């Protein structure tokens, strides 16, 4: 276990270096929160901790949103790094499968791989997309993309294909309905579902306050 933890520390250092100039919703602090979420969830699950920790740390090492939609760069970069620190091939292959299948992608993406380790890391990542942090990240990314905050004339676009979701430019408020408010019912683990419910309620409260202020009711 000491050898594994040494390699985890090397992975943390690598990720910090790789993401030092990343957009703040997908930077090292996002990775750290997902890592902590994963540690919390795995306490109640029977899973390979080594796989979960590597996957949590490397899941956004090259997010396709910032690489012209190329979904192959992240898995390749993760595999190359893990090989460089002599991680076992079966662990590397599992981590790569998790990275390939973790994203939301419009909610219509069918995973072609399943494991409890993927369930844990996916929940850990999705938890960081909702609640107070999720709200902050959503507005930060909307500003990064120069999206409108809200336009009452533009409704949310639901049930998008993966391709539509990747290219769609909507409003930040609509993103709540297109993704964030859907995540509560997409959680995999008992712990993930419990945490998601509280964060979901917080987002509903925020939206209620937002619309009241937008309409001049307060």
């Amino acid at each position: 276990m000491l050898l594994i933890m040494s390699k985890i520390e090397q992975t943390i250092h690598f990720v910090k270096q790789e993401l030092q100039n990343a957009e703040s919703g997908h930077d090292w602090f996002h990775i750290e929160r997902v890592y902590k979420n994963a540690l919390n969830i795995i306490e109640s699950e029977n899973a390979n901790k080594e796989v979960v920790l590597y996957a949590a740390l490397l899941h956004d090492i090259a997010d396709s949103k910032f690489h012209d939609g190329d979904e192959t760069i992240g898995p390749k970069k993760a595999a190359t790094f893990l090989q460089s620190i002599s991680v076992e091939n079966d662990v590397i292959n599992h981590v790569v499968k998790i990275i390939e299948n973790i994203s939301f992608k419009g909610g219509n993406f069918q995973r072609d791989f399943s494991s409890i380790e993927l369930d844990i890391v996916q929940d850990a990542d999705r938890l960081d997309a909702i609640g107070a942090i999720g709200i902050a990240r959503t507005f930060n990314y909307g500003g990064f993309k120069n999206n409108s905050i809200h336009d009452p004339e533009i409704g949310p676009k639901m049930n998008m294909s993966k391709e539509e979701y990747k290219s769609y430019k909507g409003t930040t408020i609509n993103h709540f309905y297109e993704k964030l408010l859907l995540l509560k019912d997409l959680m995999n683990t008992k712990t993930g579902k419990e945490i998601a419910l509280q964060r979901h309620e917080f987002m509903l409260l925020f939206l209620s306050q937002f619309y009241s202020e937008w309409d001049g009711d307060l």
Side-chain angles (χ1 to χ4, degrees):
M1 193 63 188
L2 286 176
L3 178 59
I4 292 173
M5 292 314 297
S6 173
K7 292 180 180 181
I8 293 294
E9 288 299 321
Q10 292 179 65
T11 306
I12 289 172
H13 178 74
F14 170 72
V15 175
K16 283 182 176 181
Q17 291 296 113
E18 286 291 310
L19 299 183
Q20 59 183 334
N21 296 315
E23 178 266 334
S24 63
H26 299 81
D27 59 4
W28 160 249
F29 295 111
H30 162 63
I31 302 300
E32 185 178 40
R33 292 190 301 269
V34 172
Y35 181 77
K36 290 176 179 178
N37 288 341
L39 284 172
N40 186 15
I41 295 170
I42 201 173
E43 290 181 4
S44 303
E45 303 292 339
N46 182 18
N48 185 321
K49 189 172 183 179
E50 182 183 8
V51 169
V52 167
L53 297 186
Y54 285 134
L57 289 169
L58 293 165
H59 78 279
D60 265 347
I61 197 62
D63 191 303
S64 64
K65 289 190 291 293
F66 307 103
H67 292 84
D68 298 321
D70 190 338
E71 298 176 7
T72 68
I73 297 175
K76 287 178 181 176
K77 182 174 284 191
T80 298
F81 170 74
L82 293 175
Q83 289 164 357
S84 76
I85 60 171
S86 301
V87 173
E88 294 180 2
N89 284 335
D90 60 335
V91 172
I92 294 174
N93 292 336
H94 197 160
V95 170
V96 166
K97 286 291 186 183
I98 291 173
I99 296 171
E100 290 174 340
N101 286 274
I102 193 174
S103 294
F104 178 72
K105 299 175 183 174
N108 293 314
F109 174 68
Q110 295 296 316
R111 302 190 325 191
D112 62 13
F113 172 80
S114 294
S115 73
I116 185 59
E117 290 79 12
L118 169 56
D119 289 346
I120 291 168
V121 180
Q122 190 172 62
D123 280 6
D125 187 37
R126 287 177 170 176
L127 286 174
D128 202 53
I130 58 178
I133 292 291
I135 292 170
R137 290 181 65 204
T138 298
F139 281 96
N140 179 76
Y141 185 72
F144 177 77
K145 299 294 287 186
N146 198 31
N147 294 345
S148 298
I149 291 176
H150 179 48
D151 184 339
E153 299 299 317
I154 302 175
K157 188 174 182 179
M158 309 302 292
N159 300 312
M160 286 183 276
S161 67
K162 183 177 76 170
E163 290 71 24
E164 288 175 322
Y165 184 77
K166 287 167 65 174
S167 62
Y168 178 63
K169 181 179 172 66
T171 70
T172 299
I173 288 296
N174 280 347
H175 190 62
F176 282 80
Y177 302 94
E178 293 158 354
K179 178 181 179 182
L180 307 192
L181 294 175
L182 305 178
L183 295 180
K184 171 179 69 70
D185 295 327
L186 296 176
M187 304 302 287
N188 304 297
T189 66
K190 182 176 182 291
T191 302
K193 291 174 182 177
E194 291 171 350
I195 299 171
L197 179 60
Q198 183 273 330
R199 296 190 183 193
H200 181 87
E201 294 299 321
F202 184 84
M203 292 191 297
L204 293 178
L205 180 63
F206 168 81
L207 287 169
S208 176
Q209 179 74 14
F210 179 91
Y211 290 128
S212 292
E213 294 182 16
W214 185 275
D215 294 334
D217 292 340
L218 292 177

